[in-house]
Amino acid sequence: MHLFSPRALLEALESRTLLAGDPNAGYALPLSLDFNRSKPGLLDRDGSGTGFTWAQPNRNGDEYQPRLIDLKIGAGILRLYTTGNADEGSNLDADNTLVNALTTTFAASSRPWVISARLTGPPTQINQPHEEGGIIFGPDQDDYVKLVLSAEGGKIGLQFFDEQKFKTGIKHSLPQTVYSIGSFSAISTIDLYLGGDPTTGYVNAFYRINGGNVVQLPPTLILKGDKRTVFFSGAAYGGVMAQSKNNAGGIDVTFDQFGIKRGVLTATGGGGGGSGQISTAGQRVFNDVRGGTGGQTIGVAVRNTGTGALTISSGGLSISGADASMFSASTTDPLPQTIQPGQSLSLKLTFTAPSSASLGIHSA
């Protein structure tokens, strides 16, 4: 028979919480960490405060390892080292051993926000499978979204990736695509951004190389139901991470700023993610009796045949033509809506002929 003390178990859990930081500690926005001085929070190898308040828990209970964190105050940088641990991924769904996913809590439930970090380069050390570095948003290693410099599937570039745990198992809503952003050797700095909107459940990814244009990656993550509540909570988690899982040894990833602020980020230039292209099935023919209420409604699909995301804003549907006032358009779900490449959005088109309408053909 094995006996245990509930008090001893509680003390052990409290000790782990203290070692990994405080899951409830966070900042009022805007938050800006430039790593040029010690701040409260998790400590690095020399005892300097990083400003991050919580290390995302992992399966092994060793999620916080100060010896692999180096805050260089004179240079204003934070360096994360990793020696082979990895979070979950497409081929690592039982792992959950990522260390030093340094985060802090913030209120993500009320207004749109942007998580950002600047990585210094050239980041050429990221060149083997499962090597990554970037930003992360989410409560734990079963539920997260990340935007990282990545080497996966024989490609090197940016990966915008999510993981969500349900009763039926682990699911990934975003494609496991590594987007080419050119040679890593040409990158002096790269800014990474995750923008979230709690009213829609949308999370979008952006990047900027060497202070150039802000470019949006094609996919949009749409968090729904309970997952929207969990991610977009009043005490959400955002931060930085680095990982490596291969036989070539560890890597280090260097950050020279991190921040979270309110607002909506938009792209300032093209490239990287392609562009959306509208395609419809052509003409639709209606028939309606003059006067009365209602009218005839026909469904039509708008398809994105382009290579980038196509976003329809809240005021993005309009009808033009000689008899536009007799027609209306609506969507099943409220706008805005984002259509990914190859996907479609269903519209309802209605023709209602007023009593004053002349007999004959009316078009819009």
Side-chain angles (χ1 to χ4, degrees):
M1 177 181 294
H2 297 281
L3 300 177
F4 70 94
S5 164
R7 179 176 179 82
L9 177 61
L10 179 60
E11 289 175 346
L13 291 174
E14 288 177 343
S15 175
R16 173 174 171 174
T17 298
L18 290 173
L19 288 173
D22 185 348
N24 300 311
Y27 296 91
L29 301 187
L31 164 66
S32 178
L33 300 177
D34 53 18
F35 308 126
N36 60 9
R37 60 190 177 92
S38 180
K39 297 193 109 176
L42 296 173
L43 306 180
D44 78 340
R45 60 175 64 178
D46 303 315
S48 297
T50 63
F52 294 101
T53 58
W54 178 242
Q56 195 181 70
N58 70 11
R59 182 186 65 184
N60 295 336
D62 62 353
E63 59 270 7
Y64 174 46
Q65 297 188 21
R67 65 184 179 83
L68 299 177
I69 305 169
D70 190 11
L71 180 67
K72 294 185 176 295
I73 295 175
I77 59 174
L78 175 71
R79 183 168 289 168
L80 296 182
Y81 299 87
T82 180
T83 58
N85 292 298
D87 63 344
E88 293 198 43
S90 58
N91 300 314
L92 304 167
D93 283 338
D95 201 297
N96 282 349
T97 59
L98 179 67
V99 303
N100 294 333
L102 305 182
T103 67
T104 188
T105 59
F106 70 101
S109 58
S110 58
R111 291 181 290 157
W113 44 261
V114 178
I115 299 171
S116 66
R118 174 171 292 173
L119 284 69
T120 62
T124 52
Q125 73 277 16
I126 298 175
N127 55 38
Q128 298 293 323
H130 311 311
E131 292 181 341
E132 298 177 358
I135 54 179
I136 189 168
F137 165 63
D140 54 55
Q141 292 187 26
D142 284 323
D143 292 281
Y144 66 84
V145 54
K146 62 185 178 182
L147 176 61
V148 290
L149 292 170
S150 177
E152 292 290 346
K155 297 181 179 180
I156 296 176
L158 270 181
Q159 188 177 47
F160 178 35
F161 187 76
D162 77 299
E163 185 161 282
Q164 300 176 57
K165 186 174 183 179
F166 298 88
K167 291 181 179 179
T168 55
I170 296 291
K171 295 183 179 180
H172 310 289
S173 296
L174 293 170
Q176 299 177 39
T177 303
V178 176
Y179 298 92
S180 175
I181 56 173
S183 173
F184 276 12
S185 62
I187 296 176
S188 296
T189 63
I190 180 167
D191 296 287
L192 303 180
Y193 310 91
L194 288 175
D197 187 342
T199 61
T200 60
Y202 288 9
V203 181
N204 289 299
F206 305 80
Y207 69 95
R208 182 173 64 174
I209 295 175
N210 298 338
N213 287 323
V214 175
V215 179
Q216 182 174 352
L217 291 179
T220 293
L221 173 63
I222 304 177
L223 296 165
K224 301 177 180 179
D226 292 342
K227 290 302 179 184
R228 182 190 296 191
T229 302
V230 169
F231 276 78
F232 288 95
S233 72
Y237 294 86
V240 297
M241 58 161 285
Q243 75 170 43
S244 173
K245 186 160 188 175
N246 56 71
N247 296 323
I251 62 170
D252 65 89
V253 178
T254 302
F255 302 83
D256 79 354
Q257 58 182 258
F258 174 83
I260 310 175
K261 66 179 181 180
R262 301 288 178 199
V264 176
L265 185 66
T266 57
T268 60
S275 60
Q277 177 68 45
I278 292 176
S279 176
T280 61
Q283 189 180 68
R284 290 291 186 267
V285 179
F286 299 79
N287 187 24
D288 186 47
V289 178
R290 290 185 297 180
T293 59
Q296 184 184 9
T297 297
I298 294 178
V300 62
V302 172
R303 186 174 178 82
N304 181 4
T305 58
T307 59
L310 177 66
T311 299
I312 302 177
S313 65
S314 57
L317 292 178
S318 63
I319 297 175
S320 61
D323 304 303
S325 62
M326 300 184 188
F327 295 83
S328 63
S330 63
T331 58
T332 302
D333 297 317
L335 297 177
Q337 291 284 333
T338 297
I339 313 173
Q340 301 302 332
Q343 296 182 347
S344 300
L345 175 70
S346 296
L347 300 181
K348 292 181 179 180
L349 305 180
T350 302
F351 171 64
T352 307
S355 57
S356 59
S358 60
L359 294 177
I361 295 175
H362 298 272
S363 62

